[in-house]
Amino acid sequence: MEIGIDSFASAMYGDSNTLSGVDAMEQLLQRIEFADQAGLDVFGIGEHHKKEFLDSATAVILSAAATRTQNIRLTSAVTVLSAADPVRVYQSFATLDLISKGRTEIVVGRGSAIEAYPLFGFDLNDYDALFKEKLELLLQIRDNEFINWYGKFRPALNNQPVYPRALQEKMPIWLGVGGTPESFIRAGSLGLPLMVAIIGGQTHRFKPLIDLYRQAGEAAGFKSHELKVGIHSPGYVSNTTEKAIEEYYPGYAELWTKLGYERGWPPVTKGKFDGLIDDLGVLIVGSPERAAEKILRHSEALGGIERFTFQMDNAGLTHSQLMSAIELIGTKLIPLIRKG
């Protein structure tokens, strides 16, 4: 199993609650570089268009990280494809693939936050139709140098070449999903690796949806080893479980209560949080031993996963705390996962 980290390039840290954009970006690049040195497998950067996040130009951040790393795979987490031009998405990540010498991946999705749609002039009523059409085009571009294509939302391409070409012959494109059954079926039908964002509740409840993905993939003629599943989840690792909870809970509660106010969710309570960090709850918060045990348990409950990524840096944790967590993941958690 691959273990990594996803970041939204948050500029909210520690007691001050704010950090300059320059300092936040430099610290993020330091964490990616350290994650590479610590032996983590993958680092992902999300896409948002909000004041508190610096990840609107994902491929630019990853390209800077590529020059400071050697082995870690660099991916989006996710690219909001519905509000983007697939030609430019491919060109940006193909360029990153050249810079990184073949370490690039893309996770595409419709986006749980919707600020990109009005920003780039798209209608939310076309939410799914935009994604379906643009995913089809992106896959064609990935697999073919010359493109013949027409659709509803962009001009047609008539035997048009797209450059540069990625170093990888088939640069990995994952489909990022939440809880919509149709999205799981779509990923399986296309034979795309699946990245599931599980941010609340109990992880094992996603098993029926992942079964839909695998069934759709096998029905489309794909082999079981081609149908990879990854999980993205909030979490944090510290020396002890008690310390991890003490450091993580205040910022997590503040963030998710704020999001809840915006989206109609109830505020976070300590009792609710305790349910999320228990054996069946989604949050991976604890010591390396506790975190590894829980990741393996989740993998077994879901029929096996190939990748797990932590979302850590939007819960008010300091750069020092995040660096310590990366070290613990690399030196202690990953060996425990490999040992099984």
Side-chain angles (χ1 to χ4, degrees):
M1 187 192 306
E2 296 175 328
I3 302 294
I5 290 174
D6 290 331
S7 171
F8 296 163
S10 173
M12 303 181 295
Y13 289 88
D15 295 335
S16 67
N17 204 39
T18 60
L19 195 69
S20 75
V22 170
D23 289 341
M25 190 64 72
E26 174 57 29
Q27 290 182 4
L28 173 61
L29 292 173
Q30 288 177 13
R31 293 197 295 275
I32 301 174
E33 184 176 10
F34 187 53
D36 180 51
Q37 296 167 356
L40 275 67
D41 299 295
V42 60
F43 206 108
I45 300 292
E47 179 189 337
H48 297 82
H49 303 271
K50 296 182 177 181
K51 183 178 180 179
E52 61 265 35
F53 301 117
L54 303 175
D55 59 348
S56 65
T58 305
V60 177
I61 298 174
L62 293 173
S63 292
T67 67
R68 300 168 65 151
T69 56
Q70 298 295 323
N71 301 303
I72 199 166
R73 296 193 67 78
L74 302 168
T75 182
S76 60
V78 303
T79 294
V80 184
L81 186 61
S82 303
D85 180 358
V87 174
R88 294 299 286 160
V89 169
Y90 178 82
Q91 289 175 325
S92 296
F93 283 89
T95 302
L96 170 61
D97 202 46
L98 297 176
I99 295 170
S100 67
K101 299 181 175 60
R103 293 185 282 126
T104 299
E105 301 183 3
I106 313 175
V107 181
V108 297
R110 297 178 297 182
S112 61
I114 60 173
E115 69 274 0
Y117 290 82
L119 182 62
F120 296 109
F122 294 101
D123 190 338
L124 272 172
N125 292 322
D126 298 322
Y127 185 73
D128 191 64
L130 280 163
F131 183 73
K132 181 179 179 181
E133 179 177 297
K134 292 185 176 190
L135 177 59
E136 175 189 311
L137 177 54
L138 180 62
L139 293 174
Q140 284 196 31
I141 296 170
R142 191 268 308 265
D143 296 339
N144 301 277
E145 183 176 344
F146 287 82
I147 307 300
N148 287 289
W149 179 91
Y150 70 92
K152 177 181 178 182
F153 298 105
R154 80 172 316 279
L157 295 169
N158 299 306
N159 201 37
Q160 184 71 42
V162 177
Y163 301 119
R165 305 305 299 173
L167 177 61
Q168 297 174 87
E169 183 176 351
K170 198 162 186 171
M171 184 168 57
I173 297 176
W174 295 64
L175 189 58
V177 301
T180 306
E182 291 78 10
S183 296
F184 287 79
I185 294 170
R186 174 184 289 146
S189 299
L190 294 170
L192 297 177
L194 181 76
M195 179 56 69
V196 188
I198 306 180
I199 61 175
Q202 297 179 324
T203 301
H204 71 272
R205 293 182 177 176
F206 279 75
K207 177 64 160 56
L209 294 170
I210 292 174
D211 287 344
L212 283 178
Y213 163 69
R214 291 177 172 135
Q215 291 163 8
E218 291 170 4
F222 296 99
K223 304 296 184 184
S224 58
H225 70 271
E226 298 177 281
L227 302 172
K228 297 173 62 176
V229 176
I231 298 298
H232 157 103
S233 179
Y236 177 60
V237 178
S238 192
N239 289 307
T240 68
T241 296
E242 293 75 18
K243 185 178 180 183
I245 294 170
E246 178 185 351
E247 294 174 343
Y248 186 76
Y249 173 70
Y252 173 88
E254 180 181 354
L255 171 71
W256 288 92
T257 296
K258 179 182 177 182
L259 287 175
Y261 180 78
E262 295 172 355
R263 301 187 184 187
W265 304 335
V268 174
T269 64
K270 186 58 165 59
K272 181 178 179 181
F273 177 80
D274 289 343
L276 292 172
I277 64 172
D278 70 11
D279 288 349
L280 299 180
V282 61
L283 296 183
I284 309 290
V285 177
S287 67
E289 295 78 12
R290 167 67 174 169
E293 176 188 3
K294 194 167 179 181
I295 291 171
L296 291 171
R297 185 185 302 115
H298 285 345
S299 177
E300 182 180 0
L302 297 175
I305 63 174
E306 284 72 36
R307 177 176 291 181
F308 181 88
T309 56
F310 287 89
Q311 167 60 41
M312 293 195 300
D313 69 356
N314 60 352
L317 297 163
T318 66
H319 177 59
S320 176
Q321 289 171 326
L322 294 168
M323 290 285 274
S324 176
I326 290 169
E327 182 177 17
L328 290 169
I329 290 169
T331 61
K332 294 188 176 181
L333 184 146
I334 287 178
L336 290 169
I337 294 289
R338 300 284 190 265
K339 184 178 179 181

